[in-house]
Amino acid sequence: MPRMNKFQIMQLYSLEIFSTCKNAGFVLSAKDIRSILNTHRKKWKLPVSTTVDDFLEFLVDKKKLYRVIHWPRGTRYVWAAEDFPHALEVASKLFPDSYLSHFSAVSLHGLTDEIVKSIYSNRPHKPTSNTVISQIDIDKAFAKPMRTASQYVEYNDYRIYLLNSGSMDVKTEKINGINVTNIIQTLIDITVRPEYCGGAYEVLKVFQNARGLFQGAKLRASLLNAKYMYPYHQCMGFYLERAGYDEKIVKLFETIPMKYDFYLTYNMKNPQYSDRWKLYYPSHIN
């Protein structure tokens, strides 16, 4: 009888291999995979020639265990079995400093009734130096579609987007054991990137649902502390006004200088203009 090759041996021990990997965690790094292989190589009678790449090839080929996620600081392998944790849990543990933001945070805070199938896993990054902008720069940037994340992974009918846009001092909290941006940080994030919340109209609905859940002065302070290049306070004031907030809260953002005409979102066709906020906004938002 011919000797089995390494892939046939892995198939022979497949149930034990799957169980071992599953117990190791539902998000694993290449280092984790290497440790599993080295620890159990003799037990599974795998030849010395079996490499980590061989082991990964076997796992991925089975389409039962892992989906590959590429990231500048490493690669992650995510369990893809139907009985494994919810995609929100997977997304929140892709990296040690991962947290959920934008529409994912909106959903976890109970600020939308929409079924959110796109999940946003974010990480802090070092801020870039401030850039001097002009009205021409703003007009050109917002005449185009918003740049969106190109890195994502499909997981159990969900799409997990991998962002790297959080500030180093991002404010998060735990909801059902999941690390997620707090309400104030979430409102700022979806104002800055409305497409990660289903668009400007959906952002307005979130502001309406968030009434009474935060202090206006803290929202203002957090937005200014972020030191954004663009004048997002004009968008913030517009949302607060249209969402029916107390005028005292709305005026907190009106006191911030408005040097430029700005845009509520990107690539708008035939927008309306708010004189109060020096802001172009979609015509369907009244």
Side-chain angles (χ1 to χ4, degrees):
M1 181 177 178
R3 175 181 293 182
M4 292 188 293
N5 65 37
K6 51 193 169 185
F7 292 102
Q8 290 172 324
I9 295 173
M10 282 188 276
Q11 181 60 44
L12 181 64
Y13 286 92
S14 61
L15 292 180
E16 190 171 335
I17 290 173
F18 296 158
S19 177
T20 300
C21 292
K22 179 176 179 179
N23 291 333
F26 54 88
V27 178
L28 301 174
S29 65
K31 182 179 179 181
D32 297 326
I33 299 292
R34 183 180 298 107
S35 177
I36 291 171
L37 174 61
N38 291 338
T39 300
H40 298 276
R41 184 191 298 274
K42 289 185 178 179
K43 182 179 179 182
W44 294 333
K45 297 181 173 56
L46 292 171
V48 176
S49 62
T50 306
T51 65
V52 174
D53 287 340
D54 293 331
F55 195 52
L56 284 171
E57 180 183 342
F58 171 76
L59 295 172
V60 173
D61 183 62
K62 292 303 175 182
K63 298 180 181 179
K64 184 178 180 182
L65 287 175
Y66 298 96
R67 301 282 178 96
V68 181
I69 296 176
H70 296 288
W71 192 272
R73 283 173 56 184
T75 300
R76 294 297 182 270
Y77 302 88
V78 179
W79 187 271
E82 292 180 0
D83 61 340
F84 229 61
H86 192 279
L88 289 171
E89 295 179 85
V90 171
S92 69
K93 295 184 181 298
L94 290 176
F95 295 89
D97 52 357
S98 293
Y99 60 90
L100 301 190
S101 63
H102 298 86
F103 217 177
S104 303
V106 167
S107 180
L108 284 166
H109 282 292
L111 298 176
T112 182
D113 294 326
E114 298 292 325
I115 297 175
V116 181
K117 284 292 186 177
S118 294
I119 299 175
Y120 299 97
S121 177
N122 213 333
R123 303 179 70 204
H125 78 293
K126 292 182 180 180
T128 56
S129 58
N130 290 334
T131 303
V132 177
I133 59 172
S134 68
Q135 187 65 59
I136 293 176
D137 295 329
I138 294 173
D139 294 341
K140 286 183 177 180
F142 284 83
K144 306 172 184 177
M146 190 188 97
R147 287 186 296 177
T148 55
S150 59
Q151 292 184 312
Y152 63 85
V153 61
E154 303 285 354
Y155 178 86
N156 287 358
D157 297 326
Y158 288 86
R159 177 172 286 188
I160 302 173
Y161 286 92
L162 308 175
L163 309 182
N164 193 25
S165 62
S167 64
M168 297 303 293
D169 60 347
V170 63
K171 301 299 187 296
T172 62
E173 61 183 77
K174 294 285 187 180
I175 299 179
N176 299 327
I178 296 174
N179 200 28
V180 58
T181 52
N182 66 17
I183 287 181
I184 284 179
Q185 185 68 55
T186 300
L187 293 176
I188 292 173
D189 287 344
I190 63 176
T191 297
V192 173
R193 290 288 182 267
E195 292 304 313
Y196 291 159
C197 188
Y201 185 69
E202 189 65 34
V203 173
L204 176 58
K205 290 197 294 184
V206 173
F207 270 84
Q208 291 169 339
N209 293 334
R211 282 180 298 197
L213 299 180
F214 65 91
Q215 295 180 13
K218 287 187 177 181
L219 179 62
R220 182 184 191 274
S222 295
L223 180 63
L224 292 178
N225 186 60
K227 295 181 170 60
Y228 284 109
M229 177 174 66
Y230 293 126
Y232 289 111
H233 62 281
Q234 292 167 228
C235 301
M236 191 74 72
F238 177 87
Y239 282 128
L240 292 168
E241 178 192 27
R242 295 305 173 98
Y245 281 72
D246 188 288
E247 189 64 17
K248 291 181 180 179
I249 295 176
V250 177
K251 286 184 176 179
L252 290 173
F253 295 84
E254 196 172 24
T255 59
I256 304 172
M258 301 182 205
K259 300 178 181 179
Y260 307 101
D261 285 330
F262 198 50
Y263 299 82
L264 192 66
T265 188
Y266 293 77
N267 195 31
M268 290 182 287
K269 307 301 180 185
N270 302 315
Q272 301 290 318
Y273 184 78
S274 167
D275 291 315
R276 181 179 188 182
W277 300 106
K278 297 186 65 176
L279 185 76
Y280 292 98
Y281 63 94
S283 57
H284 63 271
I285 295 180
N286 298 317

